[in-house]
Amino acid sequence: MSESSAEAVVAATANVAGAAGAANWRRAGIAGAAIGVLAAGAAAGVAVERLTVGRGMRKKARLALDATGPYGSLRGTPGRAVADDGTELYYEIDEVEVAPTTADEGASGSRRRRLFGRKAPAPVTVVFSHGYCLGQDSWHFQRAALRGLVRAVYWDQRSHGRSGRGRSQADGVPVGIDQLGRDLKAVIDAAAPEGPVVLAGHSMGGMTMMALADQYPALIRDRVAAVALIGTSSGKLGEVNFGLPVAGVNAVRRVLPGVLKALGSQAELVEKGRRATSDLFAGLIKRYSFGSKDVDPAVARFAERLIEATPIDVVAEFYPAFTEHDKSGALPGFRDVPVLILAGDKDLVTPSSHSEAIADVLPDAELVIVPDAGHLVMLEHPETVTDRLADLLVRSGTVPAANVGGHGSTAQQPGR
C-alpha cells in the first residue's frame, strides 16, 4: 500500500466515524476497532478466532471462558483519592498478613503501645500503576502471588476502570502524563501516607511513575525503596512503527489524531460497532498484546474484556499525551534504589529498545527482556514477571527472602 493510498483509507475512516446514520454504524465500528487498537496498543486478545464458527457459538465460547477463568476477581479494601482537579481515583488495598511474635501473644495491641510508647512503623507498600486502556485487574497474577506477602495498592487511572472521568478533560483540558503523575501522588497520599513505597508500573503506568519523579523528587528520595518499570518508555513514542510498513506508519501518524477526535465525538456510534464487530476487534488487537502463539484462551479473553471496558472517547483523549511524553530527564531520580526494567522481546507498542534506553540511564538496574513476549507480558508470562518482582522486593529489603518461597508461581487457583 502506498503512503497516499494508506492516508486515503484512514481519512475515509474518519469520515465514516463522523456519519451518524444508522446504515453507517457497523462501518464506524470497524473503523473504531482498527484505529482504536492501533492507538491504544495496550491490551486485548481473542478467545476464539475461527471465523468459520457461527457467531452464536463464538459468543457461547467467550461466555464459557469468562466463567472458567475468573481473572480480575480479586478484590481488596476499597478507597478513593481526589486528584488536584477533583477527579475521584479508585484504589484497593491488600494488607499484609503479619503473624504475631511470641512477645506479642501475651499482650493486646493497646497494652503494647502503652509499654513501648509508640506504634509499629508503617509497612512497605507496593503501588501498582496499570497501562493505557487497562485497569488495576491487569495485575491479577501478580496480585494473586503476592497477596498477604506485602501490603499493596492497586489503582485505576483517571477515566479507566472504577475511577471517575477526568474532570479537567470534561472542561476541555487535554490529559497529560504530568497530570497522571499528580494523580499517583494523590493515591499515595491517601492509601500510603507513611512508610516506604515500592513503585511498579506497566506501560502508561511506568510513564506515570516517571512524571511523579519529575514533579516530586523529594518523595522519591525520601520514601521510594524500589522501582519496577515494565513494558514502558521514557519518550520518543512517536517513532514507534507498530510493526507496520513505512508508508502505512507515515500515513497513520499524519491523520491519526484527527481520526481519533472524530471517533471520540461519535462515541456511542463507534461503541455499537465495536460490539458488533468483536471478532475483527479481537483479531486486530491480539497482534498488539501478545508475542507467543499459545496464549491461554482464558487469559486472552480476559485481556479482551479489559480493553472492551475502555470507551473510545477515552482512547481518543489519552492518545496525544504519548506522542508528547518525554521523561528521560526524570530517570536519574531512580538511580539510588534497586530498579527492575522488564519488557517483551516482541512488544510492538513499547519495543524493548525503549527499555534498553532506560537501562542506559540506569546502568545499575536489572534489565530483563522476556523471550516470546508482547506488550502484555505480565499476563502472557506471569510467572516470569512475578518472579522478578519478588526478587526486587527481596533486594530492596521489602520482604525477607524466606517469605517469598512459592509466591513466585501463579500455578495456584486464579481466584486465590
Side-chain angles (χ1 to χ4, degrees), residues 145-146 149 386-387 389-391 393-394 399-409:
L146 297 176
L149 177 67
T386 304
D387 178 74
L389 280 173
D391 182 72
L393 296 179
V394 172
V399 296
N403 284 356
V404 176
H407 285 80
S409 171

mmCIF file with all atom_site columns, all heavy atoms in Angstrom, residues 145-146 149 386-387 389-391 393-394 399-409:
data_model
loop_
_atom_site.group_PDB
_atom_site.id
_atom_site.type_symbol
_atom_site.label_atom_id
_atom_site.label_alt_id
_atom_site.label_comp_id
_atom_site.label_asym_id
_atom_site.label_entity_id
_atom_site.label_seq_id
_atom_site.pdbx_PDB_ins_code
_atom_site.Cartn_x
_atom_site.Cartn_y
_atom_site.Cartn_z
_atom_site.occupancy
_atom_site.B_iso_or_equiv
_atom_site.pdbx_formal_charge
_atom_site.auth_seq_id
_atom_site.auth_comp_id
_atom_site.auth_asym_id
_atom_site.auth_atom_id
_atom_site.pdbx_PDB_model_num
ATOM 1   N N   . ALA A 1 145 ? -0.226 -13.805 43.484 1.00 0.00 ? 145 ALA A N   1
ATOM 2   C CA  . ALA A 1 145 ? 1.012  -14.380 44.002 1.00 0.00 ? 145 ALA A CA  1
ATOM 3   C C   . ALA A 1 145 ? 1.542  -13.644 45.225 1.00 0.00 ? 145 ALA A C   1
ATOM 4   O O   . ALA A 1 145 ? 2.099  -14.252 46.136 1.00 0.00 ? 145 ALA A O   1
ATOM 5   C CB  . ALA A 1 145 ? 2.077  -14.385 42.903 1.00 0.00 ? 145 ALA A CB  1
ATOM 6   N N   . LEU A 1 146 ? 1.359  -12.322 45.265 1.00 0.00 ? 146 LEU A N   1
ATOM 7   C CA  . LEU A 1 146 ? 1.941  -11.522 46.340 1.00 0.00 ? 146 LEU A CA  1
ATOM 8   C C   . LEU A 1 146 ? 0.957  -11.235 47.465 1.00 0.00 ? 146 LEU A C   1
ATOM 9   O O   . LEU A 1 146 ? 1.323  -10.631 48.476 1.00 0.00 ? 146 LEU A O   1
ATOM 10  C CB  . LEU A 1 146 ? 2.460  -10.198 45.777 1.00 0.00 ? 146 LEU A CB  1
ATOM 11  C CG  . LEU A 1 146 ? 3.592  -10.315 44.742 1.00 0.00 ? 146 LEU A CG  1
ATOM 12  C CD1 . LEU A 1 146 ? 3.938  -8.947  44.188 1.00 0.00 ? 146 LEU A CD1 1
ATOM 13  C CD2 . LEU A 1 146 ? 4.816  -10.982 45.353 1.00 0.00 ? 146 LEU A CD2 1
ATOM 14  N N   . LEU A 1 149 ? 1.633  -11.323 51.302 1.00 0.00 ? 149 LEU A N   1
ATOM 15  C CA  . LEU A 1 149 ? 3.075  -11.247 51.491 1.00 0.00 ? 149 LEU A CA  1
ATOM 16  C C   . LEU A 1 149 ? 3.543  -9.817  51.734 1.00 0.00 ? 149 LEU A C   1
ATOM 17  O O   . LEU A 1 149 ? 4.481  -9.567  52.493 1.00 0.00 ? 149 LEU A O   1
ATOM 18  C CB  . LEU A 1 149 ? 3.787  -11.837 50.269 1.00 0.00 ? 149 LEU A CB  1
ATOM 19  C CG  . LEU A 1 149 ? 5.315  -11.788 50.251 1.00 0.00 ? 149 LEU A CG  1
ATOM 20  C CD1 . LEU A 1 149 ? 5.874  -12.688 51.344 1.00 0.00 ? 149 LEU A CD1 1
ATOM 21  C CD2 . LEU A 1 149 ? 5.839  -12.225 48.881 1.00 0.00 ? 149 LEU A CD2 1
ATOM 22  N N   . THR A 1 386 ? 6.295  -12.088 37.919 1.00 0.00 ? 386 THR A N   1
ATOM 23  C CA  . THR A 1 386 ? 6.141  -12.179 39.368 1.00 0.00 ? 386 THR A CA  1
ATOM 24  C C   . THR A 1 386 ? 7.446  -12.568 40.046 1.00 0.00 ? 386 THR A C   1
ATOM 25  O O   . THR A 1 386 ? 7.805  -12.042 41.109 1.00 0.00 ? 386 THR A O   1
ATOM 26  C CB  . THR A 1 386 ? 5.050  -13.197 39.727 1.00 0.00 ? 386 THR A CB  1
ATOM 27  O OG1 . THR A 1 386 ? 3.834  -12.829 39.073 1.00 0.00 ? 386 THR A OG1 1
ATOM 28  C CG2 . THR A 1 386 ? 4.812  -13.235 41.227 1.00 0.00 ? 386 THR A CG2 1
ATOM 29  N N   . ASP A 1 387 ? 8.183  -13.491 39.432 1.00 0.00 ? 387 ASP A N   1
ATOM 30  C CA  . ASP A 1 387 ? 9.464  -13.918 39.990 1.00 0.00 ? 387 ASP A CA  1
ATOM 31  C C   . ASP A 1 387 ? 10.438 -12.753 40.095 1.00 0.00 ? 387 ASP A C   1
ATOM 32  O O   . ASP A 1 387 ? 11.112 -12.581 41.112 1.00 0.00 ? 387 ASP A O   1
ATOM 33  C CB  . ASP A 1 387 ? 10.053 -15.033 39.129 1.00 0.00 ? 387 ASP A CB  1
ATOM 34  C CG  . ASP A 1 387 ? 11.403 -15.491 39.630 1.00 0.00 ? 387 ASP A CG  1
ATOM 35  O OD1 . ASP A 1 387 ? 11.456 -16.181 40.661 1.00 0.00 ? 387 ASP A OD1 1
ATOM 36  O OD2 . ASP A 1 387 ? 12.429 -15.151 38.987 1.00 0.00 ? 387 ASP A OD2 1
ATOM 37  N N   . LEU A 1 389 ? 9.648  -9.535  40.167 1.00 0.00 ? 389 LEU A N   1
ATOM 38  C CA  . LEU A 1 389 ? 9.135  -8.592  41.157 1.00 0.00 ? 389 LEU A CA  1
ATOM 39  C C   . LEU A 1 389 ? 9.457  -9.066  42.569 1.00 0.00 ? 389 LEU A C   1
ATOM 40  O O   . LEU A 1 389 ? 9.865  -8.268  43.427 1.00 0.00 ? 389 LEU A O   1
ATOM 41  C CB  . LEU A 1 389 ? 7.624  -8.429  40.993 1.00 0.00 ? 389 LEU A CB  1
ATOM 42  C CG  . LEU A 1 389 ? 7.135  -7.497  39.887 1.00 0.00 ? 389 LEU A CG  1
ATOM 43  C CD1 . LEU A 1 389 ? 5.615  -7.581  39.760 1.00 0.00 ? 389 LEU A CD1 1
ATOM 44  C CD2 . LEU A 1 389 ? 7.565  -6.055  40.150 1.00 0.00 ? 389 LEU A CD2 1
ATOM 45  N N   . ALA A 1 390 ? 9.270  -10.354 42.821 1.00 0.00 ? 390 ALA A N   1
ATOM 46  C CA  . ALA A 1 390 ? 9.578  -10.899 44.142 1.00 0.00 ? 390 ALA A CA  1
ATOM 47  C C   . ALA A 1 390 ? 11.054 -10.716 44.459 1.00 0.00 ? 390 ALA A C   1
ATOM 48  O O   . ALA A 1 390 ? 11.422 -10.360 45.589 1.00 0.00 ? 390 ALA A O   1
ATOM 49  C CB  . ALA A 1 390 ? 9.192  -12.380 44.200 1.00 0.00 ? 390 ALA A CB  1
ATOM 50  N N   . ASP A 1 391 ? 11.906 -10.943 43.477 1.00 0.00 ? 391 ASP A N   1
ATOM 51  C CA  . ASP A 1 391 ? 13.341 -10.757 43.681 1.00 0.00 ? 391 ASP A CA  1
ATOM 52  C C   . ASP A 1 391 ? 13.661 -9.290  43.978 1.00 0.00 ? 391 ASP A C   1
ATOM 53  O O   . ASP A 1 391 ? 14.502 -8.989  44.840 1.00 0.00 ? 391 ASP A O   1
ATOM 54  C CB  . ASP A 1 391 ? 14.108 -11.217 42.440 1.00 0.00 ? 391 ASP A CB  1
ATOM 55  C CG  . ASP A 1 391 ? 15.615 -11.089 42.616 1.00 0.00 ? 391 ASP A CG  1
ATOM 56  O OD1 . ASP A 1 391 ? 16.187 -11.882 43.376 1.00 0.00 ? 391 ASP A OD1 1
ATOM 57  O OD2 . ASP A 1 391 ? 16.210 -10.182 41.991 1.00 0.00 ? 391 ASP A OD2 1
ATOM 58  N N   . LEU A 1 393 ? 11.694 -7.173  45.463 1.00 0.00 ? 393 LEU A N   1
ATOM 59  C CA  . LEU A 1 393 ? 11.257 -6.913  46.837 1.00 0.00 ? 393 LEU A CA  1
ATOM 60  C C   . LEU A 1 393 ? 12.276 -7.425  47.847 1.00 0.00 ? 393 LEU A C   1
ATOM 61  O O   . LEU A 1 393 ? 12.525 -6.795  48.880 1.00 0.00 ? 393 LEU A O   1
ATOM 62  C CB  . LEU A 1 393 ? 9.896  -7.556  47.089 1.00 0.00 ? 393 LEU A CB  1
ATOM 63  C CG  . LEU A 1 393 ? 8.730  -7.010  46.258 1.00 0.00 ? 393 LEU A CG  1
ATOM 64  C CD1 . LEU A 1 393 ? 7.439  -7.752  46.597 1.00 0.00 ? 393 LEU A CD1 1
ATOM 65  C CD2 . LEU A 1 393 ? 8.554  -5.514  46.461 1.00 0.00 ? 393 LEU A CD2 1
ATOM 66  N N   . VAL A 1 394 ? 12.887 -8.564  47.544 1.00 0.00 ? 394 VAL A N   1
ATOM 67  C CA  . VAL A 1 394 ? 13.921 -9.101  48.430 1.00 0.00 ? 394 VAL A CA  1
ATOM 68  C C   . VAL A 1 394 ? 15.161 -8.211  48.393 1.00 0.00 ? 394 VAL A C   1
ATOM 69  O O   . VAL A 1 394 ? 15.734 -7.858  49.436 1.00 0.00 ? 394 VAL A O   1
ATOM 70  C CB  . VAL A 1 394 ? 14.281 -10.545 48.035 1.00 0.00 ? 394 VAL A CB  1
ATOM 71  C CG1 . VAL A 1 394 ? 15.500 -11.031 48.820 1.00 0.00 ? 394 VAL A CG1 1
ATOM 72  C CG2 . VAL A 1 394 ? 13.090 -11.474 48.289 1.00 0.00 ? 394 VAL A CG2 1
ATOM 73  N N   . VAL A 1 399 ? 10.749 -7.483  51.654 1.00 0.00 ? 399 VAL A N   1
ATOM 74  C CA  . VAL A 1 399 ? 10.332 -8.744  52.277 1.00 0.00 ? 399 VAL A CA  1
ATOM 75  C C   . VAL A 1 399 ? 11.570 -9.611  52.443 1.00 0.00 ? 399 VAL A C   1
ATOM 76  O O   . VAL A 1 399 ? 12.503 -9.556  51.627 1.00 0.00 ? 399 VAL A O   1
ATOM 77  C CB  . VAL A 1 399 ? 9.286  -9.496  51.417 1.00 0.00 ? 399 VAL A CB  1
ATOM 78  C CG1 . VAL A 1 399 ? 8.009  -8.694  51.300 1.00 0.00 ? 399 VAL A CG1 1
ATOM 79  C CG2 . VAL A 1 399 ? 9.837  -9.843  50.043 1.00 0.00 ? 399 VAL A CG2 1
ATOM 80  N N   . PRO A 1 400 ? 11.615 -10.423 53.511 1.00 0.00 ? 400 PRO A N   1
ATOM 81  C CA  . PRO A 1 400 ? 12.746 -11.339 53.672 1.00 0.00 ? 400 PRO A CA  1
ATOM 82  C C   . PRO A 1 400 ? 12.661 -12.459 52.649 1.00 0.00 ? 400 PRO A C   1
ATOM 83  O O   . PRO A 1 400 ? 11.573 -12.897 52.264 1.00 0.00 ? 400 PRO A O   1
ATOM 84  C CB  . PRO A 1 400 ? 12.581 -11.859 55.100 1.00 0.00 ? 400 PRO A CB  1
ATOM 85  C CG  . PRO A 1 400 ? 11.129 -11.700 55.410 1.00 0.00 ? 400 PRO A CG  1
ATOM 86  C CD  . PRO A 1 400 ? 10.676 -10.480 54.661 1.00 0.00 ? 400 PRO A CD  1
ATOM 87  N N   . ALA A 1 401 ? 13.818 -12.940 52.223 1.00 0.00 ? 401 ALA A N   1
ATOM 88  C CA  . ALA A 1 401 ? 13.863 -13.986 51.205 1.00 0.00 ? 401 ALA A CA  1
ATOM 89  C C   . ALA A 1 401 ? 13.101 -15.228 51.640 1.00 0.00 ? 401 ALA A C   1
ATOM 90  O O   . ALA A 1 401 ? 12.475 -15.909 50.834 1.00 0.00 ? 401 ALA A O   1
ATOM 91  C CB  . ALA A 1 401 ? 15.317 -14.334 50.880 1.00 0.00 ? 401 ALA A CB  1
ATOM 92  N N   . ALA A 1 402 ? 13.145 -15.535 52.935 1.00 0.00 ? 402 ALA A N   1
ATOM 93  C CA  . ALA A 1 402 ? 12.494 -16.745 53.430 1.00 0.00 ? 402 ALA A CA  1
ATOM 94  C C   . ALA A 1 402 ? 10.985 -16.708 53.232 1.00 0.00 ? 402 ALA A C   1
ATOM 95  O O   . ALA A 1 402 ? 10.327 -17.739 53.155 1.00 0.00 ? 402 ALA A O   1
ATOM 96  C CB  . ALA A 1 402 ? 12.807 -16.939 54.896 1.00 0.00 ? 402 ALA A CB  1
ATOM 97  N N   . ASN A 1 403 ? 10.416 -15.500 53.121 1.00 0.00 ? 403 ASN A N   1
ATOM 98  C CA  . ASN A 1 403 ? 8.968  -15.377 52.986 1.00 0.00 ? 403 ASN A CA  1
ATOM 99  C C   . ASN A 1 403 ? 8.481  -15.544 51.550 1.00 0.00 ? 403 ASN A C   1
ATOM 100 O O   . ASN A 1 403 ? 7.297  -15.757 51.317 1.00 0.00 ? 403 ASN A O   1
ATOM 101 C CB  . ASN A 1 403 ? 8.501  -14.004 53.488 1.00 0.00 ? 403 ASN A CB  1
ATOM 102 C CG  . ASN A 1 403 ? 8.489  -13.941 54.997 1.00 0.00 ? 403 ASN A CG  1
ATOM 103 O OD1 . ASN A 1 403 ? 8.764  -14.930 55.657 1.00 0.00 ? 403 ASN A OD1 1
ATOM 104 N ND2 . ASN A 1 403 ? 8.197  -12.774 55.543 1.00 0.00 ? 403 ASN A ND2 1
ATOM 105 N N   . VAL A 1 404 ? 9.376  -15.397 50.589 1.00 0.00 ? 404 VAL A N   1
ATOM 106 C CA  . VAL A 1 404 ? 8.959  -15.413 49.187 1.00 0.00 ? 404 VAL A CA  1
ATOM 107 C C   . VAL A 1 404 ? 8.528  -16.803 48.777 1.00 0.00 ? 404 VAL A C   1
ATOM 108 O O   . VAL A 1 404 ? 7.425  -17.028 48.297 1.00 0.00 ? 404 VAL A O   1
ATOM 109 C CB  . VAL A 1 404 ? 10.081 -14.889 48.266 1.00 0.00 ? 404 VAL A CB  1
ATOM 110 C CG1 . VAL A 1 404 ? 9.653  -15.010 46.818 1.00 0.00 ? 404 VAL A CG1 1
ATOM 111 C CG2 . VAL A 1 404 ? 10.402 -13.455 48.611 1.00 0.00 ? 404 VAL A CG2 1
ATOM 112 N N   . GLY A 1 405 ? 9.373  -17.784 49.002 1.00 0.00 ? 405 GLY A N   1
ATOM 113 C CA  . GLY A 1 405 ? 9.030  -19.176 48.723 1.00 0.00 ? 405 GLY A CA  1
ATOM 114 C C   . GLY A 1 405 ? 8.317  -19.376 47.412 1.00 0.00 ? 405 GLY A C   1
ATOM 115 O O   . GLY A 1 405 ? 8.802  -19.013 46.347 1.00 0.00 ? 405 GLY A O   1
ATOM 116 N N   . GLY A 1 406 ? 7.096  -19.978 47.479 1.00 0.00 ? 406 GLY A N   1
ATOM 117 C CA  . GLY A 1 406 ? 6.328  -20.279 46.279 1.00 0.00 ? 406 GLY A CA  1
ATOM 118 C C   . GLY A 1 406 ? 5.542  -19.125 45.731 1.00 0.00 ? 406 GLY A C   1
ATOM 119 O O   . GLY A 1 406 ? 4.753  -19.299 44.806 1.00 0.00 ? 406 GLY A O   1
ATOM 120 N N   . HIS A 1 407 ? 5.727  -17.922 46.287 1.00 0.00 ? 407 HIS A N   1
ATOM 121 C CA  . HIS A 1 407 ? 4.944  -16.788 45.810 1.00 0.00 ? 407 HIS A CA  1
ATOM 122 C C   . HIS A 1 407 ? 5.329  -16.355 44.403 1.00 0.00 ? 407 HIS A C   1
ATOM 123 O O   . HIS A 1 407 ? 4.646  -15.550 43.798 1.00 0.00 ? 407 HIS A O   1
ATOM 124 C CB  . HIS A 1 407 ? 5.079  -15.599 46.763 1.00 0.00 ? 407 HIS A CB  1
ATOM 125 C CG  . HIS A 1 407 ? 4.305  -15.763 48.025 1.00 0.00 ? 407 HIS A CG  1
ATOM 126 N ND1 . HIS A 1 407 ? 4.769  -16.515 49.072 1.00 0.00 ? 407 HIS A ND1 1
ATOM 127 C CD2 . HIS A 1 407 ? 3.086  -15.312 48.410 1.00 0.00 ? 407 HIS A CD2 1
ATOM 128 C CE1 . HIS A 1 407 ? 3.882  -16.492 50.062 1.00 0.00 ? 407 HIS A CE1 1
ATOM 129 N NE2 . HIS A 1 407 ? 2.855  -15.773 49.678 1.00 0.00 ? 407 HIS A NE2 1
ATOM 130 N N   . GLY A 1 408 ? 6.431  -16.901 43.883 1.00 0.00 ? 408 GLY A N   1
ATOM 131 C CA  . GLY A 1 408 ? 6.805  -16.546 42.517 1.00 0.00 ? 408 GLY A CA  1
ATOM 132 C C   . GLY A 1 408 ? 6.039  -17.316 41.478 1.00 0.00 ? 408 GLY A C   1
ATOM 133 O O   . GLY A 1 408 ? 6.195  -17.089 40.292 1.00 0.00 ? 408 GLY A O   1
ATOM 134 N N   . SER A 1 409 ? 5.182  -18.233 41.889 1.00 0.00 ? 409 SER A N   1
ATOM 135 C CA  . SER A 1 409 ? 4.440  -19.067 40.944 1.00 0.00 ? 409 SER A CA  1
ATOM 136 C C   . SER A 1 409 ? 2.974  -18.664 40.913 1.00 0.00 ? 409 SER A C   1
ATOM 137 O O   . SER A 1 409 ? 2.378  -18.331 41.931 1.00 0.00 ? 409 SER A O   1
ATOM 138 C CB  . SER A 1 409 ? 4.535  -20.540 41.334 1.00 0.00 ? 409 SER A CB  1
ATOM 139 O OG  . SER A 1 409 ? 3.659  -21.328 40.544 1.00 0.00 ? 409 SER A OG  1
#
